[in-house]
Amino acid sequence: MKTGLKAMAGLLAGAAFSLAMQAPAAAQQFTLRLNHVLAPTEPFHEGFQLWARRVEERTRGALRMQVFHSAQLGVEEDIIEQMRQGANIAQNTDAARLGTYVRGIAVMNGPYFAETLDEVAKLRESPTIKRFVDELATQHGLRVVCFDWVQGMRHFYTNKPVRKPEDLAGLRIRTPPAPIWQESIRALGASPVAMAFGDMYPALQQRAIDGVELVHNNIPGRRFWEVLNHANETSHILLINFQVVGAQFFNRLPAELQTALVEECQKAGRETSEKILASEAQVRQTLRERGMTLVTDVDLAAFRRAGERAYQALNLLEVRDAVHREIGKQR
């Protein structure tokens, strides 16, 4: 009898050990830290927190996301390099910076490239964009989770009215440090000044720059109405944001966690983008109440013509036209 019990105990112990060794990969826990440069009062921050909650709920805690605002983990370019080395960090970024690695994808940041959320959604199925995204992952260690996060149209914010490209002549306008940003602002008539997002306000105070080009929702979070008084609605770039992780980190995730991360990113991104566009009328009213003049009688046709020079300077005309054909966009 004792021999039988010992044998049974041995079998149970062996079975327990075998089950432990064969535990599903999803039982592992992963943490992903998302860094972004925006203020905690901006809609994107709330959207990122929503994405994080949904991922954790869907994966039952197997994948947890922590959201850090105001570049708390570091400047964007440094974070991207850490991601390429395998760090468990994600970054909210744009096609301009990703164009440092795959030149063609920068086209998505060009003047008047995409102008509606539906056009952005169609870009997911563009063979040209898919090729760029694959190249980022396989050759440069950067895995695009999704690019469904749209902050709205970028405009010029200055201390004088801007109605045509010539009105920007001689103005030093802050841009992110990437070629497509620089060439776009130069093509539209201003002198680009590369500068980190967090440095803009003091630079405006010290008159190191004459203006910025941002989306309306950026203005309240940083109180830019204290140093700028004109919001010139040039609508020159629809700001498409990318959520990116290191390919090494993404490949370590079990398939079900990868799927959850991507699908919840797309869903939260679309919802947040729609919310931002729906709230824009209220934001514009806030800018007026804070003393800013909204310049709406802008010669958009002249700005569109000027924007062509950016694509020419970077040899991206053929890429832009190919993508536009693929998504059925008429210019």
Side-chain angles (χ1 to χ4, degrees), residues 13-24:
F17 178 77
S18 177
L19 286 171
M21 294 300 290
Q22 298 175 24

Side-chain angles (χ1 to χ4, degrees), residues 37-50:
V37 304
L38 303 170
T41 54
E42 293 212 29
F44 261 30
H45 183 67
E46 182 181 345
F48 293 146
Q49 291 177 315
L50 175 64

Side-chain angles (χ1 to χ4, degrees), residues 45-63:
H45 183 67
E46 182 181 345
F48 293 146
Q49 291 177 315
L50 175 64
W51 176 26
R53 285 196 303 272
R54 286 177 173 173
V55 167
E56 184 166 347
E57 290 169 1
R58 178 167 168 175
T59 65
R60 298 183 180 181
L63 177 56

